[in-house]
Amino acid sequence: MSELHILDVLAARRGCYISDLNLAPFLRRMALSDLRRMEENAYPFSQWQEAVRYLTGDERDFASVKEIKAFILSETEAKR
């Protein structure tokens, strides 16, 4: 597992601060897309849940990373 937090990695991929991922809609969409493509076991589940909550503002509890990825997919498709 990576020692960096998943949000740090998402921000670094886009060359921005973590807060930018939440403030700029296009960066949020890109970060959610990146998140969906990440390996499920690369980060602790708690970081996955924290990241999706931060990026979407949805505070629901998820049962697994697969459920998080399905949620991200449904969220991104609904906003197209």
Side-chain angles (χ1 to χ4, degrees):
M1 283 193 204
S2 175
E3 292 189 25
L4 288 175
H5 192 282
I6 198 168
L7 286 169
D8 291 313
V9 173
L10 292 170
R13 285 185 178 185
R14 298 298 163 195
C16 65
Y17 296 107
I18 292 172
S19 60
D20 295 334
L21 297 176
N22 202 12
L23 296 172
F26 75 97
L27 287 173
R28 181 181 313 120
R29 286 189 302 274
M30 294 170 82
L32 286 167
S33 179
D34 289 343
L35 196 57
R36 230 182 69 233
R37 290 190 302 269
M38 288 180 163
E39 291 291 326
E40 292 182 19
N41 61 354
Y43 298 92
F45 176 72
S46 60
Q47 288 188 28
W48 281 90
Q49 186 149 286
E50 184 179 339
V52 78
R53 286 176 172 175
Y54 181 76
L55 294 169
T56 65
D58 192 309
E59 293 292 321
R60 76 180 70 193
D61 289 322
F62 295 93
S64 66
V65 175
K66 285 187 189 317
E67 189 177 317
I68 288 173
K69 287 185 172 193
F71 172 75
I72 292 169
L73 183 60
S74 69
E75 283 293 296
T76 53
E77 287 180 348
K79 294 184 179 176
R80 285 187 177 177

